């Protein structure tokens, strides 16, 4: 069974850009007068977004974070889930 995505539908309207030492999620399909400012991500957030776009599971992304040796696999998985929860709120 396919894993359900934890970020909202419509995320294809966002692209990741790197500038000024940060990662930026940019809404490229803005309509009308309302402007949605880019969302600033740190480097880890950028890597997680790229993993999501490649179709990586939360577990795969957590494994990659834990592989860097700074957090346990369990803590990394919780961090991944928190990150996507926050994105859900912002998007």
């Amino acid at each position: 069974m396919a894993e359900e995505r934890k970020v909202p539908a419509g995320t294809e309207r966002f692209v990741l850009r790197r500038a000024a030492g940060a990662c930026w999620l940019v809404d490229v399909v803005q309509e009308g007068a309302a402007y949605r400012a880019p969302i600033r991500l740190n480097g880890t957030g950028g890597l997680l977004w790229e993993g999501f776009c490649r179709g990586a599971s939360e577990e795969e992304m957590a494994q990659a974070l834990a592989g860097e040796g700074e957090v346990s696999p369990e803590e990394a998985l919780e961090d991944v889930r928190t990150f996507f929860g926050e994105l859900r709120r912002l998007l």
Side-chain angles (χ1 to χ4, degrees):
M1 180 159 82
E3 177 183 341
E4 181 181 334
R5 289 297 178 166
K6 304 293 184 189
V7 236
T11 54
E12 64 276 356
R13 69 185 294 151
F14 293 91
V15 295
L16 183 70
R17 297 287 184 243
R18 296 178 193 280
C23 298
W24 302 88
L25 259 183
V26 180
D27 183 347
V28 294
V29 187
Q30 297 197 37
E31 302 167 353
Y35 171 71
R36 178 181 270 177
I39 299 169
R40 184 178 182 161
L41 304 175
N42 64 18
T44 300
L47 291 174
L48 292 176
W49 182 262
E50 290 171 335
F52 170 76
C53 291
R54 282 193 317 274
S57 69
E58 288 180 340
E59 290 77 12
E60 290 169 329
M61 289 184 267
Q63 254 182 355
L65 289 179
E68 294 179 9
E70 295 183 21
V71 295
S72 69
E74 296 80 15
E75 187 178 3
L77 183 57
E78 182 60 32
D79 289 347
V80 168
R81 289 180 175 158
T82 298
F83 171 78
F84 284 111
E86 285 296 310
L87 270 186
R88 241 189 337 275
R89 187 180 64 75
L90 293 171
L91 301 179

